[in-house]
Amino acid sequence: MAQTPPIVAAHGIHKHFGTLHVLKGVDLMVAERELVFVIGPSGSGKSTLLRCLNRLEEPSSGSITVDGIDMLSRSTDINAARQRVGMVFQSFNLYPHMTALGNVALALRKVQGKSRAEAEARARAALDRVHLADRAGHFPGQLSGGQQQRVAIARAIALEPRVMLFDEPTSALDPELVGGVLAAMRELREDGMTMVVVSHEMGFAKAAADRVVFMADGLVVEQGPPAELFGAPRHERTRAFLGQIERH
Amino acid sequence: MTGLDRFLDSFFNLRVAVEYLPKIIDGFWLTILLAFCIILSGLAAGLALAVLRSLGIRPVNWLIIFVVDLFRALPPLVIIVLLYFGLPAAGLSISGFASAWLSLALVLMAFSEEIFWAGITAVPRGQWEAARSTGLTFAATLGHVVLPQAVRMVVPPLTNRTIAITKGTALASVVAVPEILGAAQAGVSFSFNPTPLTLGALAYVVLFFPVVILGRWIETRFAWKR
Ligand SMILES: Nc1ncnc2c1ncn2[C@@H]1O[C@H](COP(=O)(O)OP(=O)(O)OP(=O)(O)O)[C@@H](O)[C@H]1O
Ligand SMILES: [Mg+2]
């Protein structure tokens, strides 16, 4: 197989919050079309790592390139670069004063400078990909949590990012709504989207992930294909964590 | 004359009322003009300061907080008098209308800045992050995502505060502005009869009753459901 350059290449990422050392030299490579799952105990720095990748957090040191663009360089237009990195949040964060269509179309218009008609056509297409074309005119308050999260996914993919970051996309959802969001993610994956997913949905990880990364205390402890990491974890920390998860 | 007759003659004297009604009506329009100027410039300045504050430039924010607290602490009448009688001493003459306008606009600016700022900070962090993650600039995020939500949240307190400060237009009578109260007082001193004050009170009711009702309507209309 020809070696394609990685979509995400993060090296030696450190992050301090004041005196708190949250990331202690994390490396993360994500190949094109790869789905990488990140797991680990609460406070291990998973969210912080994701947020460093699109520079919502400024790493204290290290290097990050996404699709060849140096995300940390002062000369990088961060707003242009961020369009290549879609992000989906635990709490959806839809704009409550805009319809689903408005939510998806906003950046298409204001960042990519598309006309209203073109932006809305693209927004509709993105909503269609998450099977919510019929909800385009609804406000977030009129949608279920699962539908809101799918609109949030549409908002991100409408910009045609090179990689999608998911930070616990289903944790805020009632159990019966999780399936729809996971289905949308799986379809994205089948369309060839590169994805980094922080989640506790181990079933999804086993079924869909190419690689699972286990983090603890701001470090990557071990990583590997899901069958390996779940079936035969090498580190004691990993075993303890997986044992805890299973008891839930 | 019985007591009732005397009372009616004092406060509801038809002859005096007819004579001074035109002056009161002039005052009515002047009050509206003054109120309009105050509301427009006061709210615009308050919003501008709140936006400036959101940039998070420390020394600028200290200055904003100082100015805001100053104008919230000073009684509006003191500011009006200070500008009207104080500025000429400094070589700058200012009309009564201008000093009332400027003073009350500054007070409304101060209070509305605090209210707008409270609205901006009440918008969840996640809204900023979602918008910035799609590549929106700080300004675009503020303008399209944060301010619409912030303003909507603060419409009720803002309406109340604006009405309260706008009623301060009556203070302009002190610096010889013939707005409603000024016109009424002038009428009283010329006619030696308080009926113009009755007219003035009526004019205030006519002017502010709809505003208060509107405020009430806005309050229910903008009750924010998520
Ligand atoms: N903005 C911040 N300021 C200060 N400390 C922070 C900040 N953001 C995160 N932290 C701290 O950094 C550590 C790692 O947080 P992070 O959210 O990355 O963990 P996580 O692995 O995502 O945990 P969880 O599974 O609970 O979401 C925690 O101790 C957290 O309290
Ligand atoms: Mg987290």
Side-chain angles (χ1 to χ4, degrees):
Chain A
M1 201 174 89
Q3 197 68 30
T4 55
I7 298 293
V8 175
H11 292 294
I13 304 299
H14 285 261
K15 176 66 187 174
H16 300 260
F17 288 112
T19 56
L20 196 63
H21 198 175
V22 173
L23 296 178
K24 302 171 181 167
V26 174
D27 296 319
L28 183 72
M29 305 286 271
V30 184
E32 187 155 16
R33 291 171 167 264
E34 197 181 15
L35 193 162
V36 173
F37 225 80
V38 181
I39 60 173
S42 182
S44 54
K46 307 180 296 293
S47 298
T48 306
L49 174 62
L50 277 199
R51 296 156 56 81
C52 283
L53 295 182
N54 66 354
R55 226 174 89 187
L56 279 184
E57 299 291 359
E58 198 83 35
S60 312
S61 63
S63 70
I64 298 172
T65 63
V66 172
D67 199 21
I69 296 171
D70 182 350
M71 295 297 284
L72 304 184
S73 161
R74 287 279 147 226
S75 59
T76 298
D77 175 355
I78 191 64
N79 295 316
R82 277 181 179 148
Q83 295 168 67
R84 293 165 190 250
V85 189
M87 190 164 208
V88 173
F89 303 84
Q90 178 174 354
S91 48
F92 327 141
N93 298 345
L94 292 185
Y95 315 134
H97 59 300
M98 292 182 194
T99 61
L101 190 71
N103 267 273
V104 181
L106 181 66
L108 290 168
R109 295 187 61 196
K110 303 300 170 189
V111 180
Q112 300 194 338
K114 296 194 190 327
S115 68
R116 176 186 284 269
E118 196 190 344
E120 291 190 347
R122 279 180 190 251
R124 262 177 226 287
L127 284 172
D128 198 36
R129 283 181 73 183
V130 295
H131 310 297
L132 284 174
D134 57 332
R135 295 286 191 278
H138 287 56
F139 285 88
Q142 302 168 314
L143 298 170
S144 76
Q147 289 170 334
Q148 288 187 52
Q149 192 60 299
R150 279 147 64 200
V151 172
I153 293 173
R155 176 172 65 184
I157 62 177
L159 298 167
E160 299 179 341
R162 295 288 278 139
V163 56
M164 285 281 290
L165 312 176
F166 293 84
D167 193 359
E168 308 206 23
T170 58
S171 306
L173 296 176
D174 292 336
E176 74 271 20
L177 300 176
V178 169
V181 170
L182 292 183
M185 291 169 65
R186 193 184 284 248
E187 281 174 38
L188 259 189
R189 158 150 190 69
E190 279 157 13
D191 291 344
M193 180 63 78
T194 306
M195 295 160 70
V196 181
V197 181
V198 172
S199 168
H200 300 299
E201 296 289 339
M202 297 302 162
F204 184 75
K206 283 172 189 158
D210 297 301
R211 182 156 50 102
V212 179
V213 173
F214 174 68
M215 280 182 70
D217 295 328
L219 283 168
V220 172
V221 175
E222 70 174 291
Q223 52 183 309
E228 245 171 59
L229 194 121
F230 293 127
R234 291 189 301 274
H235 285 78
E236 182 49 42
R237 280 300 306 260
T238 321
R239 277 195 289 274
F241 175 74
L242 291 174
Q244 248 173 10
I245 292 275
E246 264 152 36
R247 269 197 304 286
H248 275 295
Chain B
M1 261 219 246
T2 67
L4 180 65
D5 282 340
R6 209 168 8 228
F7 175 77
L8 289 177
D9 183 63
S10 295
F11 287 95
F12 297 94
N13 185 312
L14 201 61
R15 188 187 49 76
V16 175
V18 169
E19 189 180 344
Y20 287 95
L21 187 61
K23 288 262 184 278
I24 300 290
I25 291 176
D26 288 348
F28 180 81
W29 293 118
L30 194 59
T31 296
I32 290 183
L33 179 67
L34 182 56
F36 196 74
C37 293
I38 291 165
I39 292 172
L40 222 66
S41 47
L43 291 182
L47 182 60
L49 282 191
V51 166
L52 189 60
R53 191 169 171 187
S54 73
L55 297 179
I57 307 163
R58 281 268 180 86
V60 173
N61 286 6
W62 289 332
L63 191 67
I64 291 173
I65 291 167
F66 172 75
V67 168
V68 162
D69 284 353
L70 182 70
F71 284 107
R72 292 201 304 169
L74 284 171
L77 183 57
V78 172
I79 309 173
I80 294 176
V81 169
L82 214 61
L83 288 184
Y84 187 68
F85 297 104
L87 280 187
L92 283 160
S93 75
I94 183 170
S95 71
F97 185 90
S99 71
W101 172 9
L102 187 58
S103 306
L104 292 174
L106 286 170
V107 173
L108 182 56
M109 171 192 82
F111 279 98
S112 67
E113 188 280 335
E114 277 304 290
I115 295 173
F116 282 125
W117 176 246
I120 290 173
T121 53
V123 173
R125 226 171 98 97
Q127 292 289 312
W128 283 98
E129 294 179 344
R132 297 305 306 269
S133 78
T134 62
L136 286 174
T137 59
F138 178 91
T141 302
L142 193 65
H144 296 291
V145 174
V146 175
L147 281 184
Q149 296 181 55
V151 168
R152 192 173 180 131
M153 267 188 276
V154 301
V155 160
L158 204 56
T159 308
N160 289 331
R161 182 55 74 177
T162 302
I163 291 172
I165 290 173
T166 308
K167 281 192 280 194
T169 49
L171 298 172
S173 58
V174 172
V175 288
V177 177
E179 47 66 68
I180 295 174
L181 184 59
Q185 283 175 335
V188 172
S189 42
F190 284 119
S191 67
F192 301 107
N193 180 295
T195 300
L197 279 178
T198 311
L199 291 181
L202 273 175
Y204 277 116
V205 170
V206 169
L207 178 54
F208 280 106
F209 214 64
V211 175
V212 171
I213 304 263
L214 181 75
R216 209 179 265 284
W217 177 79
I218 287 175
E219 231 169 281
T220 45
R221 168 79 224 287
F222 281 79
W224 183 248
K225 40 186 184 298
R226 274 192 193 256

